[in-house]
């Protein structure tokens, strides 16, 4: 249904845009037949350019690479499971390319970009999401967008305003009014030339993102795929996403909305809706309670992970490793309980400005903390 809706909406926007072109020439020339010929000529020229582009432009250059066998096996297992379950014939290619994202599907090939293998903890979720797009079939008809003159112009403006946006971000310490002026100018020109897409197309694309997430979470065989994707949204997007990023991306649902919907799909409790972890690591957490105990399976707290203005007492439970700066956004912690932690950096403890008590369960950790000469009470159980 979404596929049909998408195709019809795209065709409507094409007709509207060429109608407006024809009307513009009619107002200028006052000759209907001439205006129709000019519009038809522009449309024909546009079609030829699109066809030549598809034929002449070479495929993006990429490098075939060797991949860690454990990652390769997991991704291929996911794709093979999907092939078997839905009678597809998808294959996987691991490549390295600078200008594309972590994963995408072209034809029946699933491309995995090893440039992003630092995201390996979330990779199955990302690939599952792309498989979701393949299953909704909307992405197969995205080429129709290239037939719209307004969309081509909008893409040019989008490229330009993102260049200015990145320049502003690189110079964030200095207020540059000229950069801001050009960023806003080209941003609103992009909005202007995307107006029909914003009304008709983008709502369908946003729903397709949600549908792809739902497929990843429920239809591909393992709950972990949905949780991998949820952790990716939390640790890589929500953690670093700004209002400016949300403003720039008008084709996708908000990160918070996608996380909320995945929480429902995966039956995440209210208590853990902003806690992102798998069976070993905690990647990101926004805690709104005064006390919190880590889930039993967490063995590692990642760098720059935990965030809370309310948390006073933290029990690390079965956790063994707390990475440097993992607790740097917990300004009101007073009591830290470490049952199985093997060691902890001095800087990590120094980040906890209001820390009063540290509860430990082994003499080695007690000796390490005592050597830091911190003004805290150390209790050994």
């Amino acid at each position: 249904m979404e596929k049909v809706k998408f195709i019809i909406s795209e065709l409507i926007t094409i007709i509207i845009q060429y109608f407006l072109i024809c009307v513009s020439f009619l107002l200028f020339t006052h000759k209907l037949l001439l205006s129709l010929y000019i519009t038809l000529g522009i449309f024909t020229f546009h079609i030829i350019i699109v066809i030549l582009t598809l034929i002449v432009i070479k495929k993006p250059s990429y490098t075939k690479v060797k991949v860690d066998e454990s990652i390769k096996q997991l991704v291929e297992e996911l794709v093979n499971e999907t092939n078997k379950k839905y009678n597809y014939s998808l294959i996987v290619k691991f490549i390295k390319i600078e200008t594309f994202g972590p994963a995408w599907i072209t034809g029946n090939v699933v491309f995995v970009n090893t440039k992003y293998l630092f995201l390996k903890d979330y990779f199955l979720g990302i690939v599952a999401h792309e498989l979701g797009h393949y299953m909704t079939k909307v992405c197969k008809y995205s080429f129709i967008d290239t037939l719209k003159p307004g969309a081509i112009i909008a893409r040019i403006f989008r490229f330009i305003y993102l260049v200015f946006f990145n320049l502003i971000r690189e110079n964030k310490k200095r207020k540059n009014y000229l950069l801001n002026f050009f960023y806003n100018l080209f941003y609103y020109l992009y909005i202007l030339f995307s107006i029909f897409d914003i009304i008709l197309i983008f709502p369908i694309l946003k729903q397709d993102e949600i549908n792809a997430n739902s497929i990843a979470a429920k239809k591909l065989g393992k709950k972990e795929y949905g949780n991998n994707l949820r952790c990716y949204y939390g640790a890589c997007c929500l953690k670093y996403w700004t209002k400016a990023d949300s403003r720039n991306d008008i084709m996708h649902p908000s990160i918070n909305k996608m996380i909320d919907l995945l929480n429902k799909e995966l039956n995440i409790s209210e208590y853990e809706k902003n806690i992102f972890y798998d069976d070993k690591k905690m990647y990101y957490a926004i805690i709104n309670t005064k006390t919190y105990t880590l889930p039993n399976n967490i063995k590692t707290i990642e760098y720059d992970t935990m965030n809370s203005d309310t948390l006073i007492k933290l029990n690390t439970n079965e956790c063994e490793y707390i990475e440097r700066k993992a607790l740097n956004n917990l300004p009101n912690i007073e009591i830290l309980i470490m049952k199985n932690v093997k060691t902890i950096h001095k800087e990590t403890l120094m980040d906890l400005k209001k820390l009063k008590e540290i509860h430990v369960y082994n003499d080695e950790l007690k000796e390490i903390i005592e050597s830091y000469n911190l003004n805290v009470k150390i209790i050994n159980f």
Side-chain angles (χ1 to χ4, degrees):
M1 183 62 188
E2 288 296 323
K3 176 184 70 174
V4 175
K5 189 177 176 182
F6 176 75
I7 294 170
I8 292 172
S9 298
E10 285 282 28
L11 293 175
I12 289 172
T13 56
I14 290 171
I15 291 168
I16 291 172
Q17 289 188 17
Y18 277 101
F19 173 76
L20 291 175
I21 291 172
C22 185
V23 169
S24 298
F25 280 109
L26 180 60
L27 292 173
F28 181 74
T29 63
H30 302 288
K31 295 179 180 179
L32 178 59
L33 196 58
L34 179 60
S35 300
L36 288 171
Y37 282 144
I38 293 172
T39 304
L40 183 60
I42 292 172
F43 179 71
T44 304
F45 179 74
H46 193 163
I47 294 290
I48 292 170
I49 292 297
V50 169
I51 293 171
L52 287 176
T53 300
L54 293 173
I55 295 172
V56 174
I57 292 182
K58 295 178 181 179
K59 294 180 180 179
S61 59
Y62 60 81
T63 306
K64 291 183 179 180
V65 289
K66 290 183 178 180
V67 187
D68 183 282
E69 281 299 319
S70 60
I71 298 173
K72 183 179 180 182
Q73 184 178 344
L74 288 170
V75 172
E76 289 180 342
E77 180 185 329
L78 167 56
V79 173
N80 290 335
E81 283 176 357
T82 306
N83 284 337
K84 186 176 179 180
K85 190 171 183 179
Y86 296 99
N87 198 27
Y88 294 153
S89 56
L90 293 165
I91 60 174
V92 184
K93 285 188 179 180
F94 291 87
I95 64 174
K96 186 174 183 179
I97 184 169
E98 295 297 322
T99 54
F100 283 70
W104 66 95
I105 297 178
T106 301
N108 71 326
V109 181
V110 181
F111 289 99
V112 176
N113 191 354
T114 58
K115 176 190 173 184
Y116 292 90
L117 280 187
F118 64 90
L119 300 174
K120 61 183 179 181
D121 291 330
Y122 324 112
F123 236 106
L124 289 181
I126 295 170
V127 174
H129 173 83
E130 295 305 320
L131 291 172
H133 279 308
Y134 183 83
M135 292 172 70
T136 65
K137 303 191 186 305
V138 169
C139 62
K140 287 186 176 181
Y141 301 93
S142 58
F143 71 91
I144 300 175
D145 189 62
T146 60
L147 300 177
K148 296 182 293 188
I152 302 298
I153 297 169
R155 285 180 184 181
I156 294 170
F157 287 139
R158 185 173 188 269
F159 172 80
I160 296 171
Y161 85 68
L162 285 176
V163 169
F164 282 107
F165 174 72
N166 288 326
L167 289 173
I168 292 167
R169 178 170 276 178
E170 289 171 7
N171 296 275
K172 60 183 177 182
K173 292 182 180 179
R174 293 183 297 172
K175 194 79 173 178
N176 194 313
Y177 294 100
L178 191 61
L179 287 178
N180 277 294
F181 170 78
F182 283 112
Y183 162 65
N184 284 295
L185 172 65
F186 286 106
Y187 175 80
Y188 287 113
L189 284 171
Y190 165 69
I191 295 295
L192 177 65
F193 279 87
S194 300
I195 193 68
F196 296 114
D197 283 347
I198 290 170
I199 296 169
L200 293 171
I201 305 301
F202 291 175
I204 299 172
L205 295 178
K206 288 180 179 181
Q207 185 58 48
D208 192 57
E209 292 294 327
I210 293 168
N211 292 343
N213 285 347
S214 180
I215 290 169
K218 283 198 167 182
K219 292 187 178 180
L220 293 181
K222 292 183 180 179
K223 184 178 178 180
E224 69 183 82
Y225 302 146
N227 191 54
N228 288 155
L229 185 60
R230 181 178 174 273
C231 287
Y232 168 71
Y233 286 139
C236 295
C237 300
L238 187 63
K239 183 189 283 191
Y240 302 109
W241 212 248
T242 65
K243 288 183 179 179
D245 291 311
S246 299
R247 182 187 191 227
N248 290 336
D249 187 4
I250 60 175
M251 290 185 286
H252 291 79
S254 71
I255 296 299
N256 283 316
K257 182 175 182 179
M258 290 196 284
I259 289 172
D260 287 343
L261 291 171
L262 276 171
N263 285 343
K264 292 177 182 177
E265 293 274 8
L266 298 169
N267 297 317
I268 304 296
S269 68
E270 185 70 18
Y271 180 66
E272 294 193 331
K273 68 177 184 177
N274 289 317
I275 314 294
F276 304 92
Y277 65 93
D278 59 18
D279 59 348
K280 293 179 182 178
K281 297 180 183 178
M282 175 169 281
Y283 301 103
Y284 189 60
I286 301 172
I287 300 166
N288 298 312
T289 56
K290 290 185 177 181
T291 63
Y292 182 75
T293 299
L294 263 64
N296 289 333
N297 53 314
I298 300 298
K299 301 299 180 185
T300 303
I301 305 177
E302 294 274 277
Y303 171 88
D304 194 22
T305 292
M306 304 192 74
N307 301 264
S308 177
D309 291 325
T310 60
L311 193 62
I312 294 173
K313 181 178 179 180
L314 174 64
N315 184 348
T316 61
N317 207 354
E318 302 297 322
C319 179
E320 296 178 359
Y321 302 99
I322 300 176
E323 294 191 6
R324 195 186 302 266
K325 295 291 182 182
L327 311 179
N328 61 321
N329 293 314
L330 301 175
N332 296 309
I333 283 284
E334 295 180 6
I335 301 172
L336 180 61
I337 302 171
M338 295 185 288
K339 182 179 178 182
N340 285 311
V341 173
K342 300 183 183 301
T343 187
I344 188 166
H345 296 285
K346 181 178 180 179
E347 294 90 338
T348 303
L349 294 174
M350 289 179 68
D351 285 333
L352 305 176
K353 305 299 183 183
K354 294 186 178 181
L355 187 63
K356 295 177 180 178
E357 293 182 13
I358 300 176
H359 298 198
V360 297
Y361 287 73
N362 67 75
D363 292 330
E364 289 182 9
L365 182 59
K366 182 174 182 286
E367 288 176 8
I368 290 171
I369 296 172
E370 284 177 339
S371 70
Y372 296 155
N373 295 317
L374 302 173
N375 187 25
V376 296
K377 185 178 181 181
I378 303 172
I379 301 171
N380 191 358
F381 285 89

